[in-house]
Amino acid sequence: QWLLLVKPSFSIILDHVELYVPRPEGGFDRFALGARVKSDPTEPRSRYYFFTLPPEALRGEPCYLRIASTTDVLMNIALVTATSFYKEQARSFFGYGLFFGIIVAMIVYSIFLLLSFHYSSYLYFIFHNVAIGLWIFYLQGFAKAFFGTRPGFDQMMLWIWVGQFITWSIVFTISFLDIRRGSKPLFYVLAAVAALGSLISVAAIAGLDDVAFVLSHYLGIIAAVLVTIAAVLRIKQGYSPARYYLVAWFTLVVGGLVFALMGLKVLPVNGVTTNAMSIGIAFESMFLAMALADRFKYLEVEKKHLEAAQSHFRELSLTDSLTGL
């Protein structure tokens, strides 16, 4: 059994995919899929779009594929066997099962830290991971695979969560690296980027998908550069937890840049570029967990130094230096 597979870089923003297959008696049969086409409850669920080719499609007469999308998107089109397609889909579900497992583990870990130590950074890290998980869930077509295509809603949720991902990543950075203490100008710049991240979510709710698409890609690149600068600055200022943070952010930056350049049509659509962001995020979450643990140790050392200093000054305030009384 042969399938015609249409595999876009973003499955839920490819609006219309139509296949026209010639009839023996003349005319064409039309088969329609796409992000703006409500799913047929009887059709097999997938992250991508595929057509099960009828015998008429293989008789040598031309078939026609019509693709239309408001948002500019790259894609691969391939003729594959049903067996190979479902094997590949099973592998992708297994791989992303590991990814979502890491995200859930990081959220649970952060909740434990938040309840134990009550540092706001842990709360922002929870929001950061929730936004990441939901964004990837919609971006990689898992919402489509589980719930079917819901025209308009899926696209809106995609851009809402990418906006929240950028916003909470920046807020977490500001809090974790204590940017206000390190550099006030950089603090204000990062705060402005976080606000622009929320603007992506507002554009999504308003139905401005093109604005959300362009803003998220360029803002993602700008945020990656600014956060890297912030981490390097704090390392130079002697803030040791920033080392793990820089390593964590570097993995996300590499994955994010590859993914953004694919979206801007600089890089092709393939297995590496479409999954680069997810791979970078998985490693980033693990390294950030190390950074949070290191920050706790840093705060404990700082607390001990403060307690020692307070004890020393208390003794000085109570003891006469001349008489020792």
Side-chain angles (χ1 to χ4, degrees):
Q1 178 65 65
W2 289 95
L3 308 177
L4 182 65
L5 177 64
V6 181
K7 192 174 181 180
S9 51
F10 308 96
S11 64
I12 62 173
I13 62 174
L14 183 58
D15 293 345
H16 297 280
V17 188
E18 298 171 355
L19 177 66
Y20 294 85
V21 178
R23 300 192 193 106
E25 67 276 11
F28 290 87
D29 287 319
R30 173 180 172 271
F31 304 90
L33 298 171
R36 299 291 179 180
V37 179
K38 189 171 179 59
S39 294
D40 182 346
T42 62
E43 71 180 31
R45 298 288 174 81
S46 170
R47 295 169 54 203
Y48 308 115
Y49 301 107
F50 69 92
F51 300 94
T52 302
L53 297 180
E56 292 80 5
L58 305 174
R59 289 177 177 170
E61 294 296 322
C63 299
Y64 297 92
L65 188 67
R66 177 179 177 269
I67 297 172
S69 189
T70 304
T71 305
D72 202 6
V73 60
L74 287 170
M75 70 202 74
N76 280 339
I77 301 171
L79 194 63
V80 300
T81 64
T83 302
S84 64
F85 171 71
Y86 285 111
K87 282 183 178 179
E88 190 278 332
Q89 181 162 265
R91 285 193 296 268
S92 72
F93 269 77
F94 176 75
Y96 273 96
L98 294 176
F99 167 80
F100 286 115
I102 291 171
I103 296 299
V104 171
M106 292 302 101
I107 291 172
V108 172
Y109 173 67
S110 302
I111 291 173
F112 169 76
L113 292 176
L114 176 65
L115 295 176
S116 300
F117 306 115
H118 306 288
Y119 293 131
S120 59
S121 294
Y122 302 140
L123 179 63
Y124 303 146
F125 188 58
I126 293 169
F127 292 155
H128 164 84
N129 279 307
V130 169
I132 282 176
L134 288 171
W135 175 49
I136 294 296
F137 185 74
Y138 281 95
L139 176 72
Q140 295 294 347
F142 289 100
K144 175 182 175 298
F146 283 105
F147 307 119
T149 304
R150 294 167 295 178
F153 179 79
D154 291 334
Q155 294 92 326
M156 180 181 71
M157 295 304 291
L158 169 71
W159 302 121
I160 284 176
W161 289 114
V162 72
Q164 293 305 298
F165 165 46
I166 292 173
T167 296
W168 290 111
S169 293
I170 298 298
V171 172
F172 172 69
T173 298
I174 292 172
S175 174
F176 179 83
L177 296 179
D178 199 3
I179 298 297
R180 188 190 289 270
R181 181 188 297 182
S183 171
K184 283 193 175 181
L186 185 58
F187 165 78
Y188 291 121
V189 172
L190 287 171
V193 172
L196 288 173
S198 294
L199 189 61
I200 297 171
S201 300
V202 173
I205 296 171
L208 303 174
D209 290 349
D210 282 347
V211 174
F213 178 85
V214 173
L215 190 58
S216 65
H217 280 74
Y218 287 107
L219 197 60
I221 294 172
I222 292 169
V225 173
L226 288 175
V227 170
T228 303
I229 292 171
V232 171
L233 174 66
R234 293 299 279 146
I235 289 172
K236 288 185 175 180
Q237 292 174 343
Y239 187 69
S240 61
R243 295 172 300 176
Y244 283 112
Y245 189 89
L246 183 60
V247 174
W249 195 259
F250 178 76
T251 61
L252 181 62
V253 166
V254 172
L257 284 175
V258 170
F259 191 76
L261 291 173
M262 176 198 66
L264 296 172
K265 291 192 170 185
V266 177
L267 294 176
V269 178
N270 55 43
V272 174
T273 55
T274 55
N275 296 307
M277 191 69 182
S278 303
I279 295 169
I281 286 171
F283 281 103
E284 182 235 15
S285 294
M286 291 187 289
F287 283 120
L288 280 182
M290 296 179 189
L292 286 168
D294 193 58
R295 185 174 190 265
F296 173 71
K297 288 196 298 183
Y298 176 85
L299 292 173
E300 282 295 303
V301 170
E302 194 175 59
K303 180 181 177 182
K304 287 179 181 179
H305 287 162
L306 287 173
E307 288 175 348
Q310 286 178 344
S311 177
H312 175 66
F313 287 123
R314 186 182 298 110
E315 186 177 342
L316 288 177
S317 68
L318 296 175
T319 306
D320 181 72
S321 59
L322 293 176
T323 63
L325 298 176

